[in-house]
Amino acid sequence: MARNTRAKKTAEAPKTDIGAEIFESLRDLEKLKGIPVDYMVERLKQALTNAYKKDREDHKDVPAENVVVDLTEKGLSMRQVKIVVEEVEDPAQEIQLDAARNVNPDVQVGDPLSIPVDISKFGRIAAQTAKQVVIQGIREAERGMAYESYSSKSQELLTGTVLRIDPEGDVIVTVGTGNEAHNAVLRTSEQIPGETYQVGQKLRVYVLEARQGSRSTSVYVSRTHPNVVRRLFELETPEIADGQVEIRNIAREAGSRSKMAVRAAMEGIDPVGACVGPRGSRVAAVVEELHGEKIDIVVWSEDPCQYVKAALSPADVVSVELVPGQKACRVVVPDDQLSLAIGKEGQNARLAARLTGYKVDIKSVSAAAAPEAE
């Protein structure tokens, strides 16, 4: 059957004079939660369409695209579009000619007919359906906004407040303020060993990632990541913030010790002195934030031997020799510096190796001389 789409005079759908009130509420919602008005208008239209389909048994098969909702500041109205036919085969989409002419006397077979819907007659179930769709829309918008916000904050250092401590040991930290406030997870594996937390405690955390789930956005943060040290020094050291000093690498064993290699990006700058600060104030601020973690700051060098020598600080080094064909080196230190160079449980040598990327074999002067004597 041919169906023409020429415009026909139709009855007006009864308008509810709540358009201005709805838009005022949506603008308040946008200010409060940052959810765009246009987004919520579409969700409301969807909610009303679903409510119409659930209102009566004969509405459930009506295609959503055949229900038109007009929502403006001037008012709210709804209409269902059906095709005029001689004999109805699909009541959800078709209307018999005689019945159609009760709505529009000029309508012809094949014409689309807009049938006004009285929204005020929706039942309790329909109204509840509309409410649930709107609530779901708000949650989805908040979840999407949280994901976008904290995805963009990945690798940033934020100040958070401890909200609660789970029995498994994970710490829930509230980060951000206002509309951007969100609960982040500080997992046990990302906590500094020996560090304790209390509800209401302020602490700085490094944003690892944001994951968007079906019901919520999960934000994961860390206190152990090497970049926690990097971001703290960027906050404390203006020379790093403005590019005069560059952090080249960091090796960290959280809660115990870190080594950081820095270089001057311009002549006349002491990179180590800049990070240490006047009377050690800058490095002291970082150490305090990390609850006493020791930090060695060394000068980065393009010369691997000089770099390794600096990385083994505070031990004195007699010589560094690269091993041909390997990314390794042999280091000789004074006899009385051997334990200092290796460090407690090998920590100093281990961090130096991670900082430089070279495997480090350390010997004392006497041990190195013994094979030569033999």
Side-chain angles (χ1 to χ4, degrees):
M1 182 189 332
R3 297 177 175 177
N4 69 59
T5 56
R6 61 182 181 273
K8 290 291 177 182
K9 181 180 178 182
T10 59
E12 288 287 332
K15 281 191 178 182
T16 349
D17 190 21
I18 58 172
E21 183 181 339
I22 289 175
F23 273 85
E24 184 179 353
S25 299
L26 294 183
R27 279 191 284 269
D28 289 342
L29 183 64
E30 184 174 37
K31 291 177 184 177
L32 181 66
K33 293 186 174 290
I35 303 173
V37 170
D38 290 346
Y39 173 85
M40 285 310 302
V41 167
E42 291 305 314
R43 296 299 303 199
L44 279 169
K45 288 181 178 180
Q46 179 187 346
L48 290 168
T49 300
N50 289 352
Y52 177 74
K53 288 165 66 68
K54 289 204 172 197
D55 184 51
R56 286 195 343 217
E57 183 66 23
D58 59 337
H59 288 173
K60 68 178 183 178
D61 296 325
V62 176
E65 59 268 21
N66 284 25
V67 181
V68 180
V69 179
D70 293 315
L71 175 58
T72 67
E73 297 205 43
K74 294 181 179 179
L76 170 65
S77 64
M78 179 185 290
R79 49 198 165 87
Q80 182 189 348
V81 179
K82 289 189 176 184
I83 299 299
V84 180
V85 295
E86 291 282 2
E87 292 186 15
V88 174
E89 296 179 1
D90 183 358
Q93 300 189 67
E94 298 173 340
I95 184 172
Q96 201 269 338
L97 179 60
D98 290 342
R101 284 182 172 166
N102 290 331
V103 179
N104 180 1
D106 298 329
V107 79
Q108 301 293 329
V109 171
D111 287 345
L113 178 70
S114 291
I115 305 169
V117 175
D118 190 350
I119 300 174
S120 63
K121 293 183 179 180
F122 281 2
R124 181 181 59 82
I125 295 177
Q128 186 65 22
T129 301
K131 179 181 177 182
Q132 288 302 321
V133 172
V134 171
I135 292 172
Q136 182 183 356
I138 293 174
R139 287 174 180 166
E140 287 178 359
E142 289 179 330
R143 185 165 64 247
M145 290 165 60
Y147 176 74
E148 290 179 11
S149 174
Y150 284 93
S151 290
S152 66
K153 287 182 173 64
S154 178
Q155 302 183 16
E156 285 188 19
L157 195 68
L158 302 179
T159 299
T161 304
V162 175
L163 178 66
R164 69 174 186 272
I165 301 168
D166 289 345
E168 297 80 9
D170 290 350
V171 177
I172 309 304
V173 182
T174 301
V175 292
T177 57
N179 292 336
E180 294 190 353
H182 197 82
N183 292 343
V185 182
L186 178 62
R187 292 172 288 196
T188 53
S189 59
E190 299 296 335
Q191 297 171 19
I192 295 175
E195 194 171 63
T196 57
Y197 307 98
Q198 296 180 344
V199 173
Q201 177 185 348
K202 298 280 187 183
L203 72 162
R204 284 181 167 140
V205 291
Y206 178 77
V207 181
L208 293 173
E209 62 174 338
R211 295 180 189 170
Q212 191 167 23
S214 57
R215 293 189 176 183
S216 63
T217 294
S218 299
V219 178
Y220 295 95
V221 295
S222 174
R223 290 272 293 166
T224 62
H225 199 283
N227 279 349
V228 173
V229 176
R230 181 187 298 273
R231 297 290 179 255
L232 286 171
F233 272 103
E234 288 174 351
L235 290 173
E236 296 291 338
T237 312
E239 290 85 348
I240 295 176
D242 61 21
Q244 295 181 57
V245 173
E246 178 185 357
I247 299 175
R248 294 291 297 188
N249 200 13
I250 296 173
R252 186 183 185 202
E253 293 187 359
S256 179
R257 192 171 191 172
S258 291
K259 285 184 180 287
M260 183 173 74
V262 295
R263 67 177 286 269
M266 57 182 64
E267 293 183 4
I269 299 293
D270 175 9
V272 174
C275 295
V276 171
R279 298 182 182 179
S281 59
R282 294 170 182 173
V283 70
V286 175
V287 169
E288 183 180 359
E289 174 63 34
L290 299 178
H291 297 168
E293 182 175 319
K294 295 179 181 178
I295 300 174
D296 298 333
I297 306 171
V298 304
V299 177
W300 177 87
S301 174
E302 292 182 354
D303 181 348
C305 294
Q306 288 297 322
Y307 191 17
V308 170
K309 184 176 181 179
L312 285 168
S313 171
D316 295 329
V317 175
V318 174
S319 65
V320 178
E321 179 186 353
L322 297 180
V323 178
Q326 301 179 40
K327 199 164 186 181
C329 60
R330 300 186 185 96
V331 177
V332 177
V333 299
D335 289 7
D336 63 350
Q337 296 281 299
L338 181 61
S339 60
L340 184 61
I342 294 173
K344 185 179 179 181
E345 298 178 350
Q347 185 185 64
N348 195 57
R350 186 167 59 248
L351 287 173
R354 282 162 51 188
L355 186 72
T356 61
Y358 279 80
K359 183 179 179 181
V360 180
D361 177 23
I362 304 175
K363 290 184 178 181
S364 66
V365 170
S366 56
E372 295 178 9
E374 293 174 3

mmCIF file with all atom_site columns, all heavy atoms in Angstrom, residues 7 25 139 141 186 263 292 298:
data_model
loop_
_atom_site.group_PDB
_atom_site.id
_atom_site.type_symbol
_atom_site.label_atom_id
_atom_site.label_alt_id
_atom_site.label_comp_id
_atom_site.label_asym_id
_atom_site.label_entity_id
_atom_site.label_seq_id
_atom_site.pdbx_PDB_ins_code
_atom_site.Cartn_x
_atom_site.Cartn_y
_atom_site.Cartn_z
_atom_site.occupancy
_atom_site.B_iso_or_equiv
_atom_site.pdbx_formal_charge
_atom_site.auth_seq_id
_atom_site.auth_comp_id
_atom_site.auth_asym_id
_atom_site.auth_atom_id
_atom_site.pdbx_PDB_model_num
ATOM 1  N N   . ALA A 1 7   ? 1.707  16.772 4.316  1.00 0.00 ? 7   ALA A N   1
ATOM 2  C CA  . ALA A 1 7   ? 1.328  17.312 5.623  1.00 0.00 ? 7   ALA A CA  1
ATOM 3  C C   . ALA A 1 7   ? -0.177 17.473 5.704  1.00 0.00 ? 7   ALA A C   1
ATOM 4  O O   . ALA A 1 7   ? -0.834 17.886 4.764  1.00 0.00 ? 7   ALA A O   1
ATOM 5  C CB  . ALA A 1 7   ? 2.003  18.656 5.840  1.00 0.00 ? 7   ALA A CB  1
ATOM 6  N N   . SER A 1 25  ? 14.625 23.407 36.626 1.00 0.00 ? 25  SER A N   1
ATOM 7  C CA  . SER A 1 25  ? 15.182 22.321 37.443 1.00 0.00 ? 25  SER A CA  1
ATOM 8  C C   . SER A 1 25  ? 16.419 21.726 36.785 1.00 0.00 ? 25  SER A C   1
ATOM 9  O O   . SER A 1 25  ? 17.405 21.408 37.467 1.00 0.00 ? 25  SER A O   1
ATOM 10 C CB  . SER A 1 25  ? 14.129 21.231 37.657 1.00 0.00 ? 25  SER A CB  1
ATOM 11 O OG  . SER A 1 25  ? 13.005 21.741 38.340 1.00 0.00 ? 25  SER A OG  1
ATOM 12 N N   . ARG A 1 139 ? 22.762 9.004  36.722 1.00 0.00 ? 139 ARG A N   1
ATOM 13 C CA  . ARG A 1 139 ? 23.892 8.165  37.126 1.00 0.00 ? 139 ARG A CA  1
ATOM 14 C C   . ARG A 1 139 ? 24.861 7.928  35.975 1.00 0.00 ? 139 ARG A C   1
ATOM 15 O O   . ARG A 1 139 ? 26.082 7.970  36.143 1.00 0.00 ? 139 ARG A O   1
ATOM 16 C CB  . ARG A 1 139 ? 23.370 6.824  37.663 1.00 0.00 ? 139 ARG A CB  1
ATOM 17 C CG  . ARG A 1 139 ? 22.719 6.934  39.036 1.00 0.00 ? 139 ARG A CG  1
ATOM 18 C CD  . ARG A 1 139 ? 22.107 5.623  39.449 1.00 0.00 ? 139 ARG A CD  1
ATOM 19 N NE  . ARG A 1 139 ? 21.491 5.728  40.769 1.00 0.00 ? 139 ARG A NE  1
ATOM 20 C CZ  . ARG A 1 139 ? 20.653 4.815  41.267 1.00 0.00 ? 139 ARG A CZ  1
ATOM 21 N NH1 . ARG A 1 139 ? 20.335 3.751  40.549 1.00 0.00 ? 139 ARG A NH1 1
ATOM 22 N NH2 . ARG A 1 139 ? 20.139 4.973  42.481 1.00 0.00 ? 139 ARG A NH2 1
ATOM 23 N N   . ALA A 1 141 ? 25.318 9.844  33.377 1.00 0.00 ? 141 ALA A N   1
ATOM 24 C CA  . ALA A 1 141 ? 26.024 11.093 33.081 1.00 0.00 ? 141 ALA A CA  1
ATOM 25 C C   . ALA A 1 141 ? 27.136 11.330 34.090 1.00 0.00 ? 141 ALA A C   1
ATOM 26 O O   . ALA A 1 141 ? 28.254 11.698 33.731 1.00 0.00 ? 141 ALA A O   1
ATOM 27 C CB  . ALA A 1 141 ? 25.039 12.267 33.088 1.00 0.00 ? 141 ALA A CB  1
ATOM 28 N N   . LEU A 1 186 ? 42.962 3.088  47.083 1.00 0.00 ? 186 LEU A N   1
ATOM 29 C CA  . LEU A 1 186 ? 44.397 2.919  47.322 1.00 0.00 ? 186 LEU A CA  1
ATOM 30 C C   . LEU A 1 186 ? 44.574 1.472  47.785 1.00 0.00 ? 186 LEU A C   1
ATOM 31 O O   . LEU A 1 186 ? 44.383 1.153  48.959 1.00 0.00 ? 186 LEU A O   1
ATOM 32 C CB  . LEU A 1 186 ? 44.879 3.914  48.391 1.00 0.00 ? 186 LEU A CB  1
ATOM 33 C CG  . LEU A 1 186 ? 46.354 3.842  48.797 1.00 0.00 ? 186 LEU A CG  1
ATOM 34 C CD1 . LEU A 1 186 ? 47.270 4.152  47.614 1.00 0.00 ? 186 LEU A CD1 1
ATOM 35 C CD2 . LEU A 1 186 ? 46.643 4.787  49.951 1.00 0.00 ? 186 LEU A CD2 1
ATOM 36 N N   . ARG A 1 263 ? 69.336 16.693 35.865 1.00 0.00 ? 263 ARG A N   1
ATOM 37 C CA  . ARG A 1 263 ? 70.308 17.411 35.045 1.00 0.00 ? 263 ARG A CA  1
ATOM 38 C C   . ARG A 1 263 ? 69.845 18.853 34.871 1.00 0.00 ? 263 ARG A C   1
ATOM 39 O O   . ARG A 1 263 ? 68.647 19.151 34.939 1.00 0.00 ? 263 ARG A O   1
ATOM 40 C CB  . ARG A 1 263 ? 70.499 16.758 33.679 1.00 0.00 ? 263 ARG A CB  1
ATOM 41 C CG  . ARG A 1 263 ? 69.276 16.838 32.793 1.00 0.00 ? 263 ARG A CG  1
ATOM 42 C CD  . ARG A 1 263 ? 69.521 16.233 31.416 1.00 0.00 ? 263 ARG A CD  1
ATOM 43 N NE  . ARG A 1 263 ? 70.358 17.090 30.595 1.00 0.00 ? 263 ARG A NE  1
ATOM 44 C CZ  . ARG A 1 263 ? 69.909 18.027 29.787 1.00 0.00 ? 263 ARG A CZ  1
ATOM 45 N NH1 . ARG A 1 263 ? 68.611 18.261 29.686 1.00 0.00 ? 263 ARG A NH1 1
ATOM 46 N NH2 . ARG A 1 263 ? 70.746 18.746 29.055 1.00 0.00 ? 263 ARG A NH2 1
ATOM 47 N N   . GLY A 1 292 ? 59.471 10.065 56.036 1.00 0.00 ? 292 GLY A N   1
ATOM 48 C CA  . GLY A 1 292 ? 60.842 9.713  56.381 1.00 0.00 ? 292 GLY A CA  1
ATOM 49 C C   . GLY A 1 292 ? 61.607 8.912  55.344 1.00 0.00 ? 292 GLY A C   1
ATOM 50 O O   . GLY A 1 292 ? 62.744 8.492  55.595 1.00 0.00 ? 292 GLY A O   1
ATOM 51 N N   . VAL A 1 298 ? 71.177 12.742 42.606 1.00 0.00 ? 298 VAL A N   1
ATOM 52 C CA  . VAL A 1 298 ? 72.474 12.682 41.936 1.00 0.00 ? 298 VAL A CA  1
ATOM 53 C C   . VAL A 1 298 ? 72.390 13.356 40.578 1.00 0.00 ? 298 VAL A C   1
ATOM 54 O O   . VAL A 1 298 ? 71.300 13.555 40.034 1.00 0.00 ? 298 VAL A O   1
ATOM 55 C CB  . VAL A 1 298 ? 72.953 11.219 41.766 1.00 0.00 ? 298 VAL A CB  1
ATOM 56 C CG1 . VAL A 1 298 ? 73.003 10.517 43.119 1.00 0.00 ? 298 VAL A CG1 1
ATOM 57 C CG2 . VAL A 1 298 ? 72.033 10.444 40.811 1.00 0.00 ? 298 VAL A CG2 1
#
